Amino acid sequence: MREDEITSHPPSYSRCLAVRITPYAGDGEPDHDQAVTYRFDDDPVMLGYVYRTYEPDIHQSTGPFPYAPAAPGLVAFLAPDIHPDPPRLAQGLWQRRSAWVAVETWARTPGGETLYTLVPQWTRLDLDEREFLAPPHHHVFALGKAIPTREARPWPRPDGREYHVEWGTGLFLSTDTNPPPPAGFPAPAGQRTTV
């Protein structure tokens, strides 16, 4: 289907204290030992997400489904106009050589819980390729699409346990009790620590 057949819904935003980028290896598997974490404890950036749907042709039957099928969501990173360091994260997203990367974020809820978000397959878009509405006094510094997963897979958590990510997942959300991982590259698998 064409992009002009896609309807975009209003964006949602989440303040990120930490962002982890995981590249995919040549075999199509995420290379967790090459993941890098960026911390923004003092100056959070924001994750923005736009849910999109394909609008079926008016002459086509939608079959047994009374809704339009989902299109790849738009995923953006935004920062206040005076933020000291968003280029560091943008550079980390752009320098990966694989077709897509996984993007994880950690945010703090008003109740003190940790909100975890995983985009298992994020592919980069140029900033002028799609319009993404930023809140006042903010700007978009990285933009991409959330490509639905092609298979179910386990995904490691900072505490050594795993999430189970289903086939067709574009965005995975969880309320965690674990803090985000420390900045930098993670320890080898099985030796990861939490802060």
Side-chain angles (χ1 to χ4, degrees):
M1 292 197 179
R2 300 187 326 250
E3 282 289 328
D4 62 0
E5 296 174 326
I6 294 177
T7 297
S8 294
H9 299 257
S12 59
Y13 307 104
S14 175
R15 288 167 45 101
C16 304
L17 301 176
V19 178
R20 180 163 58 191
I21 302 168
T22 302
Y24 277 74
D27 61 1
E29 292 296 313
D31 190 351
H32 296 291
D33 287 333
Q34 291 301 308
V36 63
T37 302
Y38 299 86
R39 294 294 296 254
F40 299 96
D41 299 281
D42 297 327
D43 294 292
V45 296
M46 285 199 304
L47 174 74
Y49 181 77
V50 171
Y51 177 73
R52 305 191 305 165
T53 52
Y54 291 115
E55 291 300 330
D57 188 288
I58 194 166
H59 301 292
Q60 291 179 339
S61 167
T62 57
F65 303 106
Y67 52 85
L74 294 181
V75 180
F77 282 98
L78 307 96
D81 292 336
I82 58 170
H83 195 283
D85 202 17
R88 185 169 50 114
L89 176 58
Q91 187 175 25
L93 287 162
W94 291 335
Q95 285 184 339
R96 299 304 180 158
R97 294 185 182 156
S98 54
W100 53 68
V101 297
V103 176
E104 298 166 272
T105 70
W106 286 264
R108 183 72 60 198
T109 69
E113 296 174 300
T114 302
L115 179 64
Y116 170 79
T117 303
L118 165 66
V119 180
Q121 294 180 177
W122 183 91
T123 187
R124 176 188 169 193
L125 293 173
D126 290 331
L127 292 178
D128 59 358
E129 205 168 330
R130 300 282 180 278
E131 185 177 356
F132 196 102
L133 182 65
H137 310 294
H138 287 71
H139 66 279
V140 175
F141 65 86
L143 179 64
K145 287 194 294 190
I147 307 299
T149 53
R150 297 178 181 159
E151 59 187 20
R153 70 168 69 245
W155 197 267
R157 294 167 42 159
D159 64 1
R161 297 185 296 176
E162 294 180 335
Y163 291 114
H164 182 75
V165 179
E166 292 291 338
W167 171 86
T169 299
L171 185 73
F172 179 90
L173 299 172
S174 175
T175 302
D176 253 331
T177 56
N178 298 302
F185 286 93
Q191 298 177 15
R192 295 188 176 122
T193 59
T194 58
V195 287

